[in-house]
Amino acid sequence: MKHYVLKRLGQSVLAVLGAATLVFFIIRLSGDPARLMLPPEASEEQVTALRESLGFNQPLWMQYIDYLKNLFTGDLGNSLYYKESALKLVLERMPATIDLAMFAIVIAVTVGLLAGIVSAYKKNSWIDYVVNGWIFLTQSLPVFWIGIVLIMIFAVNLHWLPTSGNRGLESIILPALTLAAYPIAPIARTMRASLIEVMDKGYMITSQAQGFSKPSRILKRGLKNAFLPVITVISLEFGVMIAGAVVTETIFSWPGVGQLIIQGVSNRDFPLVQASILVISIIYIAITLVTDLIYHRLDPRIKVH
Amino acid sequence: MKKSKFLLILTLLAVFAAGCSTTSKSGAGEEATGEGQDQKLEITIARAFDVNGLDPGFLTENAQVVDNIFDTLVKRDAEEKLVPGLATSWSQIDDTTWQFKLREGVTFTNGEAFNADAVKYSLDRVLDPANNAPTASYVSTIQEVNVVDEYTVNVVTKKPDPLVPTRFNRYPTEIVPPKYAEEVGQEQFAQKPIGTGPYQFVSWDKGSNVVLEANPNYWGGEPDVKKVTFRSIPEASTRVSALLNGEVDLITAVSPEDREKIESSSTARLSTVERAGNTVYVGFKTDVKPFDDPKVRQALNYAIDVKSIVDKVLQGAAVQTNSLIGPKDFGYAGEPEGYSYDPEKAKQLLAEAGYPNGFSATLDTVSWYIKNTDVAQVIAEQLKAVGVNIKVNNVESSVYRTLVPAGKQSDMYVLGWSSTNTLDADAAIYAILRSGESYSTYANKDVDAKLDEARSVTDEAKRKQLYQEIQDEVLKDAPRIFLYQENQYYGVSDGLKWDGRVDGSIPVSTISAGNE
C-alpha cells in the first residue's frame, strides 16, 4: 500500500510538471502579447520596448528556466492584462467554478445513477431504450446549444430564471444543468453496464435462491458491488467539469476560471493562462490520485502497474 | 420496484420544488431596474467584456466605463462636435503650442482641486516611457505640458499637430487627481479610481461587473441615472436574452443576426449607428506580383459586386463605400464615384495586364468583421467568374494581429480600420496607407508626402483638400478592393432614452428615462 501511494504521488508530480511545461510552450507558439496589448497604430519601436520590458525578447529556453525557477518558489508572475498576481486572480475565480461544478455533479450523479439503475433493472425494455436514446442525444448535443436553448426556455420565455451572471442560487441552475448534460451519459452507461454485470454474478443468484425480491437484491447487494467503476467515472467527470466549464461559463457569463482562461488565451496573457492551467491540472490530478487511492483501498486486488 | 418508483417521484418533487423556490425569488429580486416611475433611476449596461483596470491612462480596451468616472479637457456632443469639457476654451498660440483655459471650481470626488497641475500630472505619467502606457501612441506628438498659471496649460508638440484638441477628448488624456494617484500608486489607482466625472466608482467585482453612482456635485449637473452597473456578458446571444428578459437595460455589440429579435420585441428597441464600425476592405501586397500592377487591382475591384454582398450576405448591416474616411470623420468629402460591378471590364483589364487566363491567390480573413467567412467565400466565387482562383484562409483573430504587422499575411487579406480614437481622416487612413506603417502594404511617394503634410498643417481647408487629393489618387491606384463600412447596433430597453454614438462611447449622463 505504502509503495503504491508513493509511486502514485511521484507520477502526479511528474504529471503537474508536464502540464506546466506543455502550457508554457503551447501558449508561446501562437502569438505575441506585446502586439495585442498595444493599439494597432502602435509603432514597431513601442512594441519592441514593451516586449523587452516584459522579458519576452529573451531566448525561449531562458524564459523557460526562469519560469521553472519561479514555479518552485510559488511565483507564477503577474497577469499582463490585469497587472495583478496571476495566481491570486485564478484563486479568486476558483470558488465560482467549483460551486458550479459541484452543483452540476450532484445533478449529473443523481440523474445518471437513476437512469443507469432503471435501465439496468428494466434491461431491453422500452424504458431502457428511452433512457439510452436520451443519453445518446444529450451526449451528442453541443454544450453551447444546450445552454442557449435553456436560456431561451427558462429565462426569455418563462421568466423563471436569470439568463446569466452570478447572483444567488437561481443563477446557478441553468449553467449547472448545461454543464451536467454531458457527464450524465457516461455515469448512466457505466452504472447500467456494471449493474448488469454484477447481477449475473454467483452471489446475486444465491441471494435470489434465498428468496430476496429483485428490488431489494439490487439495492442491498448489487449496487454496493456495482458502484466501484462508477466512482471512478464520477470523479473523472468532476475533474473534466472543472476544466471543461470554459464554454458553459462563457455562455452564462459565470465569473469562474473558465472565462478567465478564454480571456487569457485571446489576450495571450501568458502568466494568467499558465497559472489557470496549472491550478486546474493540480486539482484534476489530485482528484485522480485520491480516487485511485480510495479504489485501491476498496478493492485491494488493484495492483501497481 | 416500489422503492425505485419512490426514488423517482422523490427526485421529481425535488426538481419541482427547486423550480418553485427560484420563481418566487426572481420575482422579488432586484430586476426592477430602468423603470421611469422610480424616483431613483438605476440601470444595467451589458458589454462583451469586463474592464481590466480603471485607470484611463493605462487601458488596453476602450474607455466606455472609465469615461463616466473621468473628464477630458474636450468633450464631444451628440453630433460629435468638440465642445468644452474641463477646458472652457482652447486655441493655437503658435505652430507647436496649444493653450487650454481650464474650468475653475471643479473638484475631484475626494475633494482634491482640479487645476493645471493635475493636467500636467495626468499627461506626464502617460508620456513617461518608463511607464509603458499602452496608448502612449495616441499622444506621442506631445513634447511637454507646461503650467502657465493655475487654470492655464500650454501643450507643446514636437511638430505642428492639428489634432491636439481631439486628442484631449479621448483616452489616455482623462484627468486624474495627482495627490491621490501618488498616494495609492498606479496599481491601486486602477482598482479604485477617482475622477471629476459625472459618476463615481463604487465597486468592481472582477469578471462580473463594475458599479458606479452619480456624482451629486458634478460640475455639469447631477445626471438622471443615479446608479449604473456595467456587466460583462461575453456571449452575444446571452446578451440579447438578458435584455429581452429585462435583466439589463442596454447592450452593446448586438450581432446583426439578432437585430430582428430585438426589433420584434415589445420590451426593447434596436439603436442603429450607421457606419460607426470598421471600414472593411481587401488589401493587396502591392509589391508582389501580380498585385504590383494597378490594372490587376482595378480589375478585381470591377469583379466584385459589393452591393449584393452588403444586401444579401450582410443583410444591410453595413454601407457600401469607396471612401476610406467615414462621414463623421474630419476630411470626409462625400462618396466618391467608385468601381461599378463590371466583370467584362475586369476580364479585359486582366487581359491587358497579361493575365487573360487569370491567376491564383490566397485571401486571408479573420472573424473580427461581420460574417467575414461568408463574405470571403462570395468574393472568391465572384473572382472565379473572371478567372481568378482564390483560396480562402481563415485566421484566428489574435494571431492575425501579430501576423499583419509582421507582413506575414497572404498577398490578399481582409482588413478593417476605424477612426474612433480621433474621428479624423488621419486616424482613418494614415496607418493603412503610409508606407512603412505596421498595417500598410502600400507605398506611393506622393500619397506618403500628402499624408505627412496633412497631419502637420493646422489650416482646416488645406487639410480637407489634401485628404480629397489622397482619396482620388488612392481610388484610381486601387491598392485594395473597396468594400463597405460596418454599422453598429445597440439594444436599448423601452424605458430608456438613448442612442448609440459613432465614437462608441456610452456617456451614462446622457441617458434618461422615457421612450424614444
Side-chain angles (χ1 to χ4, degrees), chain A residues 32 35 37-40 46 53 81 84 93 114 151 155 159-160 162-165 167 173 215 219 251 253 255 266 268, chain B residues 1 3 11 22-23 26 30 52 60 132 134 137-138 206-208 231-233 238 242 245 247 396 398 401 405 438-439:
Chain A
D32 174 5
R35 253 296 160 203
M37 284 168 77
L38 295 173
Q46 267 182 306
S53 81
Y81 189 66
E84 273 186 273
R93 297 281 193 94
L114 274 173
I151 289 177
H159 294 290
W160 286 2
T163 53
S164 56
R167 290 177 301 161
I173 295 173
L219 284 173
I251 299 168
S253 72
S266 61
R268 298 300 185 271
Chain B
M1 178 63 211
K3 214 150 195 173
T11 344
T22 51
T23 17
S26 64
E30 19 143 44
N52 67 331
T60 51
N132 268 319
S137 59
Y138 292 174
K206 278 179 208 136
S208 301
R231 270 183 67 186
S232 71
I233 304 181
T238 313
N245 199 22
E247 287 167 59
E396 195 266 333
S398 314
R401 270 195 73 173
S438 299
Y439 280 83

Short mmCIF file of all heavy atoms in Angstrom, two decimals, chain A residues 32 35 37-40 46 53 81 84 93 114 151 155 159-160 162-165 167 173 215 219 251 253 255 266 268, chain B residues 1 3 11 22-23 26 30 52 60 132 134 137-138 206-208 231-233 238 242 245 247 396 398 401 405 438-439:
data_model
loop_
_atom_site.label_atom_id
_atom_site.label_comp_id
_atom_site.label_asym_id
_atom_site.label_seq_id
_atom_site.Cartn_x
_atom_site.Cartn_y
_atom_site.Cartn_z
N ASP A 32 1.92 37.07 -29.92
CA ASP A 32 2.80 38.00 -29.26
C ASP A 32 1.96 38.92 -28.39
O ASP A 32 1.21 39.74 -28.88
CB ASP A 32 3.52 38.79 -30.36
CG ASP A 32 4.37 39.90 -29.79
OD1 ASP A 32 4.48 40.00 -28.56
OD2 ASP A 32 4.93 40.68 -30.59
N ARG A 35 2.10 42.85 -28.98
CA ARG A 35 1.29 43.37 -30.08
C ARG A 35 -0.17 43.54 -29.66
O ARG A 35 -0.85 44.49 -30.04
CB ARG A 35 1.33 42.40 -31.27
CG ARG A 35 2.13 42.85 -32.44
CD ARG A 35 1.58 44.08 -33.12
NE ARG A 35 2.62 44.73 -33.91
CZ ARG A 35 2.59 46.02 -34.25
NH1 ARG A 35 1.60 46.79 -33.87
NH2 ARG A 35 3.55 46.52 -34.97
N MET A 37 -1.33 43.96 -26.63
CA MET A 37 -1.57 44.90 -25.53
C MET A 37 -1.60 46.33 -26.02
O MET A 37 -2.09 47.21 -25.34
CB MET A 37 -0.48 44.75 -24.47
CG MET A 37 -0.64 43.51 -23.61
SD MET A 37 0.83 43.21 -22.63
CE MET A 37 0.64 44.44 -21.35
N LEU A 38 -1.04 46.57 -27.20
CA LEU A 38 -0.96 47.93 -27.71
C LEU A 38 -2.03 48.13 -28.79
O LEU A 38 -2.44 47.19 -29.44
CB LEU A 38 0.43 48.17 -28.30
CG LEU A 38 1.57 48.13 -27.29
CD1 LEU A 38 2.91 48.21 -27.99
CD2 LEU A 38 1.42 49.26 -26.28
N PRO A 39 -2.47 49.37 -28.98
CA PRO A 39 -3.42 49.60 -30.06
C PRO A 39 -2.75 49.34 -31.40
O PRO A 39 -1.52 49.43 -31.50
CB PRO A 39 -3.79 51.08 -29.90
CG PRO A 39 -2.73 51.68 -29.06
CD PRO A 39 -2.12 50.59 -28.25
N PRO A 40 -3.52 49.01 -32.44
CA PRO A 40 -2.91 48.64 -33.73
C PRO A 40 -2.03 49.72 -34.31
O PRO A 40 -1.10 49.42 -35.05
CB PRO A 40 -4.12 48.37 -34.64
CG PRO A 40 -5.34 48.73 -33.88
CD PRO A 40 -4.98 48.83 -32.45
N GLN A 46 7.67 50.86 -30.21
CA GLN A 46 6.89 50.72 -28.98
C GLN A 46 6.68 49.26 -28.63
O GLN A 46 6.78 48.86 -27.48
CB GLN A 46 5.52 51.37 -29.18
CG GLN A 46 5.46 52.80 -28.74
CD GLN A 46 4.06 53.33 -28.93
OE1 GLN A 46 3.49 53.24 -30.02
NE2 GLN A 46 3.49 53.86 -27.86
N SER A 53 10.50 45.03 -21.92
CA SER A 53 10.18 45.26 -20.51
C SER A 53 9.45 44.06 -19.91
O SER A 53 9.47 43.84 -18.71
CB SER A 53 9.37 46.54 -20.35
OG SER A 53 8.02 46.30 -20.64
N TYR A 81 -2.61 41.40 -18.50
CA TYR A 81 -3.83 42.15 -18.79
C TYR A 81 -4.34 42.86 -17.55
O TYR A 81 -4.72 44.03 -17.60
CB TYR A 81 -4.86 41.15 -19.33
CG TYR A 81 -6.13 41.75 -19.88
CD1 TYR A 81 -6.11 42.55 -21.03
CD2 TYR A 81 -7.35 41.48 -19.28
CE1 TYR A 81 -7.28 43.06 -21.54
CE2 TYR A 81 -8.52 42.00 -19.80
CZ TYR A 81 -8.49 42.80 -20.92
OH TYR A 81 -9.65 43.31 -21.43
N GLU A 84 -1.95 42.11 -12.10
CA GLU A 84 -2.04 41.63 -10.72
C GLU A 84 -1.49 40.22 -10.70
O GLU A 84 -1.37 39.59 -11.75
CB GLU A 84 -3.51 41.54 -10.32
CG GLU A 84 -4.10 42.79 -9.77
CD GLU A 84 -5.51 42.51 -9.27
OE1 GLU A 84 -6.44 42.60 -10.06
OE2 GLU A 84 -5.63 42.16 -8.09
N ARG A 93 -11.14 33.36 -8.63
CA ARG A 93 -12.21 32.90 -9.50
C ARG A 93 -12.57 31.43 -9.26
O ARG A 93 -13.59 30.96 -9.72
CB ARG A 93 -11.80 33.05 -10.97
CG ARG A 93 -11.56 34.46 -11.40
CD ARG A 93 -12.87 35.16 -11.66
NE ARG A 93 -12.66 36.40 -12.37
CZ ARG A 93 -12.73 36.52 -13.69
NH1 ARG A 93 -13.05 35.49 -14.42
NH2 ARG A 93 -12.51 37.68 -14.27
N LEU A 114 -29.76 7.23 -11.40
CA LEU A 114 -31.15 6.79 -11.55
C LEU A 114 -31.38 6.18 -12.93
O LEU A 114 -31.94 5.08 -13.06
CB LEU A 114 -32.10 7.98 -11.36
CG LEU A 114 -32.48 8.25 -9.90
CD1 LEU A 114 -33.28 9.55 -9.82
CD2 LEU A 114 -33.31 7.08 -9.36
N ILE A 151 -31.57 28.89 -21.94
CA ILE A 151 -31.80 30.32 -21.71
C ILE A 151 -33.10 30.76 -22.39
O ILE A 151 -33.93 31.45 -21.80
CB ILE A 151 -30.62 31.16 -22.25
CG1 ILE A 151 -29.39 30.96 -21.38
CG2 ILE A 151 -30.99 32.65 -22.28
CD1 ILE A 151 -28.15 31.68 -21.87
N ALA A 155 -35.39 31.45 -19.29
CA ALA A 155 -35.20 32.87 -18.98
C ALA A 155 -36.09 33.74 -19.85
O ALA A 155 -36.91 34.50 -19.35
CB ALA A 155 -33.74 33.25 -19.15
N HIS A 159 -39.44 33.27 -18.00
CA HIS A 159 -39.00 34.26 -16.99
C HIS A 159 -38.82 33.64 -15.60
O HIS A 159 -39.06 34.30 -14.60
CB HIS A 159 -40.00 35.43 -16.89
CG HIS A 159 -40.05 36.26 -18.12
ND1 HIS A 159 -39.03 37.09 -18.51
CD2 HIS A 159 -41.00 36.39 -19.07
CE1 HIS A 159 -39.35 37.69 -19.64
NE2 HIS A 159 -40.53 37.27 -20.01
N TRP A 160 -38.46 32.39 -15.55
CA TRP A 160 -38.26 31.75 -14.25
C TRP A 160 -36.88 32.05 -13.67
O TRP A 160 -36.72 32.20 -12.48
CB TRP A 160 -38.41 30.22 -14.37
CG TRP A 160 -39.82 29.77 -14.53
CD1 TRP A 160 -40.94 30.56 -14.60
CD2 TRP A 160 -40.29 28.42 -14.62
NE1 TRP A 160 -42.05 29.80 -14.75
CE2 TRP A 160 -41.69 28.47 -14.76
CE3 TRP A 160 -39.63 27.19 -14.60
CZ2 TRP A 160 -42.47 27.33 -14.88
CZ3 TRP A 160 -40.40 26.04 -14.72
CH2 TRP A 160 -41.81 26.11 -14.86
N PRO A 162 -32.72 33.83 -14.27
CA PRO A 162 -31.94 34.82 -15.00
C PRO A 162 -31.10 34.18 -16.11
O PRO A 162 -30.77 33.00 -16.03
CB PRO A 162 -31.05 35.43 -13.92
CG PRO A 162 -30.96 34.41 -12.86
CD PRO A 162 -32.22 33.61 -12.91
N THR A 163 -30.77 34.96 -17.12
CA THR A 163 -30.02 34.43 -18.25
C THR A 163 -28.56 34.17 -17.89
O THR A 163 -27.94 33.26 -18.42
CB THR A 163 -29.99 35.44 -19.40
OG1 THR A 163 -29.51 36.69 -18.88
CG2 THR A 163 -31.36 35.64 -20.00
N SER A 164 -28.01 35.01 -17.01
CA SER A 164 -26.56 34.97 -16.85
C SER A 164 -26.14 35.65 -15.57
O SER A 164 -26.96 36.22 -14.87
CB SER A 164 -25.90 35.68 -18.03
OG SER A 164 -26.43 36.98 -18.11
N GLY A 165 -24.85 35.59 -15.31
CA GLY A 165 -24.30 36.25 -14.13
C GLY A 165 -24.27 35.32 -12.94
O GLY A 165 -24.60 34.14 -13.05
N ARG A 167 -25.74 35.73 -9.35
CA ARG A 167 -26.42 36.48 -8.31
C ARG A 167 -27.36 35.53 -7.57
O ARG A 167 -28.55 35.49 -7.81
CB ARG A 167 -27.19 37.64 -8.91
CG ARG A 167 -26.24 38.74 -9.43
CD ARG A 167 -27.02 39.83 -10.08
NE ARG A 167 -27.81 39.32 -11.19
CZ ARG A 167 -28.85 39.97 -11.70
NH1 ARG A 167 -29.26 41.09 -11.18
NH2 ARG A 167 -29.50 39.46 -12.73
N ILE A 173 -28.62 27.57 -11.60
CA ILE A 173 -29.35 26.39 -12.08
C ILE A 173 -29.12 26.10 -13.57
O ILE A 173 -28.75 24.99 -13.94
CB ILE A 173 -30.85 26.55 -11.77
CG1 ILE A 173 -31.03 26.56 -10.24
CG2 ILE A 173 -31.67 25.42 -12.39
CD1 ILE A 173 -32.42 26.89 -9.78
N PRO A 215 -35.95 -5.99 -6.38
CA PRO A 215 -35.51 -4.65 -5.97
C PRO A 215 -34.61 -4.69 -4.75
O PRO A 215 -33.57 -4.01 -4.70
CB PRO A 215 -36.82 -3.93 -5.64
CG PRO A 215 -37.88 -4.70 -6.32
CD PRO A 215 -37.39 -6.11 -6.42
N LEU A 219 -30.74 -3.32 -4.52
CA LEU A 219 -30.36 -2.25 -3.61
C LEU A 219 -29.34 -2.73 -2.59
O LEU A 219 -28.38 -2.03 -2.28
CB LEU A 219 -31.60 -1.69 -2.90
CG LEU A 219 -32.46 -0.77 -3.77
CD1 LEU A 219 -33.75 -0.40 -3.05
CD2 LEU A 219 -31.69 0.48 -4.16
N ILE A 251 -21.01 31.17 -21.93
CA ILE A 251 -22.41 31.40 -22.32
C ILE A 251 -23.16 32.13 -21.22
O ILE A 251 -23.91 33.06 -21.48
CB ILE A 251 -23.13 30.06 -22.58
CG1 ILE A 251 -22.45 29.31 -23.72
CG2 ILE A 251 -24.61 30.29 -22.92
CD1 ILE A 251 -22.93 27.89 -23.84
N SER A 253 -21.96 33.87 -18.72
CA SER A 253 -21.07 34.84 -18.09
C SER A 253 -20.91 34.55 -16.60
O SER A 253 -21.12 35.40 -15.74
CB SER A 253 -21.52 36.28 -18.34
OG SER A 253 -22.65 36.66 -17.67
N PRO A 255 -18.64 34.03 -13.57
CA PRO A 255 -17.30 34.58 -13.37
C PRO A 255 -16.29 33.60 -12.77
O PRO A 255 -15.72 33.85 -11.72
CB PRO A 255 -17.56 35.75 -12.43
CG PRO A 255 -18.79 35.36 -11.68
CD PRO A 255 -19.60 34.49 -12.58
N SER A 266 -7.14 34.73 -25.42
CA SER A 266 -7.29 35.66 -26.53
C SER A 266 -6.40 36.88 -26.36
O SER A 266 -6.05 37.51 -27.33
CB SER A 266 -8.76 36.06 -26.74
OG SER A 266 -9.24 36.67 -25.60
N ARG A 268 -3.38 36.49 -25.11
CA ARG A 268 -2.04 35.89 -24.96
C ARG A 268 -1.42 36.34 -23.64
O ARG A 268 -0.28 36.77 -23.58
CB ARG A 268 -1.13 36.26 -26.14
CG ARG A 268 -1.62 35.79 -27.49
CD ARG A 268 -1.74 34.27 -27.53
NE ARG A 268 -2.10 33.78 -28.84
CZ ARG A 268 -3.36 33.63 -29.27
NH1 ARG A 268 -4.36 33.90 -28.49
NH2 ARG A 268 -3.60 33.18 -30.48
N MET B 1 -39.24 -2.79 -7.03
CA MET B 1 -39.95 -1.90 -7.95
C MET B 1 -40.51 -0.69 -7.22
O MET B 1 -40.31 0.45 -7.58
CB MET B 1 -41.06 -2.69 -8.63
CG MET B 1 -41.93 -1.88 -9.59
SD MET B 1 -40.96 -1.25 -10.98
CE MET B 1 -41.80 0.26 -11.36
N LYS B 3 -39.61 0.66 -4.49
CA LYS B 3 -38.60 1.56 -3.98
C LYS B 3 -38.05 2.50 -5.07
O LYS B 3 -37.88 3.69 -4.85
CB LYS B 3 -37.44 0.76 -3.38
CG LYS B 3 -36.85 1.49 -2.19
CD LYS B 3 -36.28 0.52 -1.20
CE LYS B 3 -36.04 1.18 0.13
NZ LYS B 3 -35.64 0.22 1.14
N THR B 11 -37.26 12.50 -6.61
CA THR B 11 -36.40 13.38 -7.39
C THR B 11 -37.24 14.40 -8.14
O THR B 11 -36.91 15.59 -8.19
CB THR B 11 -35.59 12.61 -8.45
OG1 THR B 11 -35.62 11.24 -8.12
CG2 THR B 11 -34.20 13.12 -8.55
N THR B 22 -37.22 29.11 -6.93
CA THR B 22 -36.50 30.12 -7.70
C THR B 22 -37.44 31.11 -8.36
O THR B 22 -37.09 32.26 -8.52
CB THR B 22 -35.64 29.46 -8.78
OG1 THR B 22 -36.48 28.59 -9.50
CG2 THR B 22 -34.49 28.72 -8.17
N THR B 23 -38.63 30.63 -8.76
CA THR B 23 -39.54 31.59 -9.39
C THR B 23 -39.88 32.70 -8.42
O THR B 23 -39.82 33.87 -8.75
CB THR B 23 -40.87 30.96 -9.84
OG1 THR B 23 -41.01 29.73 -9.18
CG2 THR B 23 -40.93 30.79 -11.31
N SER B 26 -36.88 35.11 -7.99
CA SER B 26 -36.54 36.06 -9.03
C SER B 26 -37.63 37.11 -9.17
O SER B 26 -37.38 38.23 -9.57
CB SER B 26 -36.30 35.34 -10.36
OG SER B 26 -37.48 34.73 -10.79
N GLU B 30 -34.05 41.90 -7.74
CA GLU B 30 -33.71 43.30 -7.96
C GLU B 30 -33.80 43.65 -9.44
O GLU B 30 -33.15 44.55 -9.91
CB GLU B 30 -32.29 43.53 -7.45
CG GLU B 30 -31.49 42.26 -7.29
CD GLU B 30 -30.04 42.41 -7.65
OE1 GLU B 30 -29.46 43.41 -7.23
OE2 GLU B 30 -29.52 41.54 -8.34
N ASN B 52 -10.33 45.77 -17.51
CA ASN B 52 -9.16 45.09 -16.93
C ASN B 52 -8.42 46.02 -16.01
O ASN B 52 -7.34 45.73 -15.53
CB ASN B 52 -8.23 44.57 -18.02
CG ASN B 52 -7.59 45.69 -18.79
OD1 ASN B 52 -8.14 46.77 -18.92
ND2 ASN B 52 -6.41 45.43 -19.30
N THR B 60 -6.09 48.93 -21.94
CA THR B 60 -5.82 48.22 -23.20
C THR B 60 -7.12 47.91 -23.91
O THR B 60 -7.13 47.26 -24.93
CB THR B 60 -5.03 46.92 -22.97
OG1 THR B 60 -5.71 46.18 -21.95
CG2 THR B 60 -3.62 47.18 -22.55
N ASN B 132 5.50 52.66 -19.83
CA ASN B 132 4.95 51.78 -20.86
C ASN B 132 3.43 51.89 -21.03
O ASN B 132 2.73 50.88 -21.09
CB ASN B 132 5.27 50.32 -20.53
CG ASN B 132 6.56 49.90 -21.17
OD1 ASN B 132 6.82 50.26 -22.32
ND2 ASN B 132 7.37 49.15 -20.43
N PRO B 134 0.06 51.76 -22.62
CA PRO B 134 -0.31 51.10 -23.86
C PRO B 134 -0.76 52.06 -24.96
O PRO B 134 -0.48 51.83 -26.13
CB PRO B 134 -1.49 50.21 -23.45
CG PRO B 134 -1.38 50.04 -21.99
CD PRO B 134 -0.70 51.26 -21.46
N SER B 137 0.88 56.00 -27.88
CA SER B 137 0.95 56.43 -29.28
C SER B 137 -0.13 57.47 -29.61
O SER B 137 0.04 58.25 -30.53
CB SER B 137 0.81 55.24 -30.22
OG SER B 137 -0.41 54.57 -30.00
N TYR B 138 -1.23 57.48 -28.85
CA TYR B 138 -2.28 58.47 -29.13
C TYR B 138 -1.83 59.90 -28.80
O TYR B 138 -2.45 60.85 -29.25
CB TYR B 138 -3.55 58.15 -28.32
CG TYR B 138 -4.26 56.89 -28.73
CD1 TYR B 138 -5.36 56.43 -28.01
CD2 TYR B 138 -3.87 56.16 -29.84
CE1 TYR B 138 -6.03 55.27 -28.38
CE2 TYR B 138 -4.52 55.00 -30.21
CZ TYR B 138 -5.60 54.55 -29.48
OH TYR B 138 -6.25 53.41 -29.83
N LYS B 206 -14.57 41.47 -10.09
CA LYS B 206 -13.84 41.08 -11.30
C LYS B 206 -14.50 39.96 -12.09
O LYS B 206 -14.91 38.96 -11.52
CB LYS B 206 -12.41 40.72 -10.96
CG LYS B 206 -11.59 41.97 -10.86
CD LYS B 206 -10.16 41.68 -10.49
CE LYS B 206 -9.64 42.88 -9.76
NZ LYS B 206 -8.88 42.55 -8.58
N GLY B 207 -14.58 40.17 -13.39
CA GLY B 207 -15.19 39.17 -14.25
C GLY B 207 -16.69 39.32 -14.31
O GLY B 207 -17.34 38.69 -15.13
N SER B 208 -17.29 40.12 -13.42
CA SER B 208 -18.74 40.26 -13.41
C SER B 208 -19.20 41.68 -13.72
O SER B 208 -19.84 41.91 -14.74
CB SER B 208 -19.33 39.90 -12.05
OG SER B 208 -19.01 38.61 -11.70
N ARG B 231 -22.19 45.29 -16.66
CA ARG B 231 -21.96 43.84 -16.54
C ARG B 231 -21.23 43.33 -17.76
O ARG B 231 -21.37 43.87 -18.86
CB ARG B 231 -23.32 43.12 -16.46
CG ARG B 231 -23.83 42.94 -15.06
CD ARG B 231 -25.12 42.17 -15.07
NE ARG B 231 -24.92 40.79 -15.50
CZ ARG B 231 -25.94 39.95 -15.68
NH1 ARG B 231 -27.18 40.33 -15.50
NH2 ARG B 231 -25.71 38.71 -16.06
N SER B 232 -20.46 42.26 -17.58
CA SER B 232 -19.85 41.65 -18.77
C SER B 232 -20.58 40.36 -19.10
O SER B 232 -20.75 39.50 -18.23
CB SER B 232 -18.36 41.39 -18.53
OG SER B 232 -18.19 40.35 -17.62
N ILE B 233 -21.09 40.28 -20.32
CA ILE B 233 -21.72 39.05 -20.81
C ILE B 233 -21.08 38.75 -22.17
O ILE B 233 -21.44 39.33 -23.18
CB ILE B 233 -23.25 39.22 -20.97
CG1 ILE B 233 -23.88 39.68 -19.63
CG2 ILE B 233 -23.89 37.92 -21.45
CD1 ILE B 233 -25.39 39.84 -19.68
N THR B 238 -26.53 35.59 -25.40
CA THR B 238 -26.93 35.72 -23.99
C THR B 238 -27.21 37.18 -23.66
O THR B 238 -28.13 37.50 -22.91
CB THR B 238 -25.83 35.19 -23.05
OG1 THR B 238 -25.39 33.93 -23.51
CG2 THR B 238 -26.35 35.04 -21.63
N ALA B 242 -30.61 38.54 -22.12
CA ALA B 242 -30.65 39.29 -20.85
C ALA B 242 -31.43 40.59 -21.03
O ALA B 242 -32.17 41.02 -20.15
CB ALA B 242 -29.24 39.58 -20.35
N ASN B 245 -35.10 39.72 -21.39
CA ASN B 245 -35.60 39.22 -20.12
C ASN B 245 -35.70 40.33 -19.07
O ASN B 245 -36.13 40.10 -17.95
CB ASN B 245 -34.65 38.12 -19.61
CG ASN B 245 -35.29 37.23 -18.57
OD1 ASN B 245 -36.52 37.13 -18.51
ND2 ASN B 245 -34.48 36.59 -17.75
N GLU B 247 -33.25 41.84 -17.58
CA GLU B 247 -32.19 41.85 -16.58
C GLU B 247 -31.24 43.02 -16.79
O GLU B 247 -30.62 43.49 -15.86
CB GLU B 247 -31.37 40.57 -16.66
CG GLU B 247 -32.07 39.35 -16.13
CD GLU B 247 -31.32 38.11 -16.54
OE1 GLU B 247 -30.15 37.97 -16.19
OE2 GLU B 247 -31.91 37.27 -17.25
N GLU B 396 -7.18 32.92 -36.97
CA GLU B 396 -7.67 33.29 -35.63
C GLU B 396 -7.29 34.74 -35.34
O GLU B 396 -6.20 35.19 -35.69
CB GLU B 396 -7.06 32.33 -34.61
CG GLU B 396 -7.72 32.34 -33.26
CD GLU B 396 -7.05 33.27 -32.28
OE1 GLU B 396 -5.84 33.52 -32.42
OE2 GLU B 396 -7.75 33.76 -31.39
N SER B 398 -6.42 36.73 -32.75
CA SER B 398 -5.21 37.17 -32.04
C SER B 398 -3.95 36.91 -32.87
O SER B 398 -2.99 37.66 -32.81
CB SER B 398 -5.06 36.45 -30.70
OG SER B 398 -6.26 36.43 -30.02
N ARG B 401 -3.52 39.60 -35.56
CA ARG B 401 -2.98 40.88 -35.10
C ARG B 401 -1.47 40.87 -34.97
O ARG B 401 -0.85 41.93 -34.87
CB ARG B 401 -3.60 41.30 -33.77
CG ARG B 401 -4.83 42.12 -33.97
CD ARG B 401 -5.25 42.82 -32.71
NE ARG B 401 -4.38 43.94 -32.37
CZ ARG B 401 -4.64 44.76 -31.37
NH1 ARG B 401 -5.71 44.60 -30.65
NH2 ARG B 401 -3.82 45.76 -31.10
N PRO B 405 1.14 42.99 -38.84
CA PRO B 405 2.25 43.93 -38.67
C PRO B 405 3.60 43.33 -39.07
O PRO B 405 4.52 44.04 -39.44
CB PRO B 405 2.25 44.24 -37.17
CG PRO B 405 0.87 43.93 -36.73
CD PRO B 405 0.41 42.80 -37.58
N SER B 438 2.82 49.75 -39.74
CA SER B 438 2.64 48.31 -39.48
C SER B 438 1.52 47.66 -40.31
O SER B 438 1.62 46.52 -40.72
CB SER B 438 2.31 48.09 -38.01
OG SER B 438 3.36 48.55 -37.22
N TYR B 439 0.44 48.38 -40.50
CA TYR B 439 -0.71 47.77 -41.18
C TYR B 439 -0.85 48.20 -42.63
O TYR B 439 -1.87 47.99 -43.26
CB TYR B 439 -2.00 48.09 -40.41
CG TYR B 439 -2.19 47.20 -39.21
CD1 TYR B 439 -1.57 47.49 -37.99
CD2 TYR B 439 -2.97 46.04 -39.29
CE1 TYR B 439 -1.73 46.67 -36.89
CE2 TYR B 439 -3.13 45.22 -38.20
CZ TYR B 439 -2.51 45.53 -36.99
OH TYR B 439 -2.67 44.71 -35.91
#
